[in-house]
Amino acid sequence: MNIATTLDRYVNDPAEGTIRLHGPEGFAGMRRAGELAARVLDMLTPYVVPDAVTADLDQMTYDFVRANGAVSATIFYRGYSHSLCISVNHVVCHGIPSARKLKDGDIVNIDVTVVVDGWHGDTSRMFLVGDVALKARKLVEVTHECLHLGIAAARPGATLGDVGHAIQSHAEKHRMSVVRDFCGHGLGRVFHDAPNVVHLGRPGRGVVLQPGMFFTIEPMINLGRPDVKLLDDGWTAVTRDRSLSAQFEHSIGITETGNEIFTGSPLGYSAPPYGI
């Protein structure tokens, strides 16, 4: 399939159901949405410091997204009421912004999804707050490597099992574990779509990747065991053993020769510490 000339099509997978294959309009839309999502995280970077209030970071994001003519996908999504998820230390994902202040030594994931002209840009990054312990820094470093090893495995003819295996084998090589309870997902004009992108697997298994597929890769890696539990708020997921957790996320599209990352930082911020 030549994505330069082909309109949207669909592929039916026995396990995943209908997966959309996008054409050039989709790639253009996802570039716009992905760039704005990445700009949000670039904008927040100087403010993710000790004593920063997570609710203030959320408000800054709301204002920034509105000023750029877009909307936050998470506001009113299944009852959620914030522009960001902010997950600190042992929070795996979906941490809720609040009056909580960040502390020296925290590691923090900030996850944002914006909608630009109907297209969803979804991304997250880890931040190091002040003087972070060596073990926590190593977790963040390995998680970032897992993300990019997974992305490198995502190309036409490969499978989602190849992507998951690349992530799992690297994490376990460093005696860390991959969270099983959450996964990446297809996206585009829909926030969460097929396929599910599990961050562990066997080579050659699962959905065969084709040009035009859009999805997120967002591994969650724990220093301890992979088990998580959901808090009473219905959103916040934490490690059961209280070990630290880290996550990075990009939205990508499969191209004729590999993939395109839609959510790369315009300022070149990839792995912390970020240049400011």
Side-chain angles (χ1 to χ4, degrees), residues 92-94 178-184 197-200 220 222 225-230 237-240:
V92 175
C93 61
H94 304 157
V178 180
V179 171
R180 273 73 167 159
D181 297 68
F182 299 95
C183 63
V197 182
V198 180
H199 301 113
L200 65 164
M220 289 154 254
N222 296 347
R225 296 182 57 79
D227 310 283
V228 307
K229 66 178 181 180
L230 193 65
V238 301
T239 56
R240 283 191 173 273

Side-chain angles (χ1 to χ4, degrees), residues 10-21 153-164 186 193-198 200-215 254:
Y10 299 89
V11 60
N12 289 309
D13 181 86
E16 293 289 342
T18 301
I19 302 172
R20 185 188 296 268
L21 303 179
R155 57 186 181 273
T159 68
L160 287 180
D162 297 332
V163 174
D193 204 356
N196 291 320
V197 182
V198 180
L200 65 164
R202 296 182 180 180
R205 299 289 184 88
V207 172
V208 177
L209 302 182
Q210 298 184 38
M213 288 183 177
F214 295 166
F215 51 84
I254 302 300

Side-chain angles (χ1 to χ4, degrees), residues 54 80 82 84-88 91-98 109 111 233 235-237:
T54 59
Y80 198 74
H82 300 276
L84 297 174
C85 293
I86 302 181
S87 303
V88 183
V91 178
V92 175
C93 61
H94 304 157
I96 301 174
S98 67
N109 178 269
D111 190 340
D233 60 29
W235 286 101
T236 308

Side-chain angles (χ1 to χ4, degrees), residues 32 35-37 39-40 43 60-71 114-117:
R32 295 192 300 272
E35 180 187 28
L36 181 59
R39 285 173 56 207
V40 169
M43 177 273 294
M60 291 169 62
T61 297
Y62 177 83
D63 295 340
F64 184 84
V65 172
R66 287 285 298 272
N68 280 275
V71 296
V114 301
V115 186
V116 178
D117 300 327

Side-chain angles (χ1 to χ4, degrees), residues 71-153:
V71 296
S72 297
T74 50
I75 294 179
F76 305 127
Y77 179 77
R78 297 184 178 178
Y80 198 74
S81 57
H82 300 276
S83 297
L84 297 174
C85 293
I86 302 181
S87 303
V88 183
N89 294 332
H90 74 289
V91 178
V92 175
C93 61
H94 304 157
I96 301 174
S98 67
R100 174 178 182 164
K101 291 183 177 181
L102 300 179
K103 301 192 303 292
D104 185 70
D106 284 344
I107 60 171
V108 184
N109 178 269
I110 299 182
D111 190 340
V112 61
T113 307
V114 301
V115 186
V116 178
D117 300 327
W119 296 95
H120 290 74
D122 189 1
T123 187
S124 79
R125 292 181 208 156
M126 292 300 298
F127 295 81
L128 307 177
V129 182
D131 186 15
V132 173
L134 181 60
K135 185 175 289 189
R137 285 177 175 267
K138 184 64 175 179
L139 170 65
V140 172
E141 177 185 333
V142 169
T143 304
H144 183 258
E145 291 168 350
C146 284
L147 170 70
H148 284 281
L149 287 168
I151 291 173

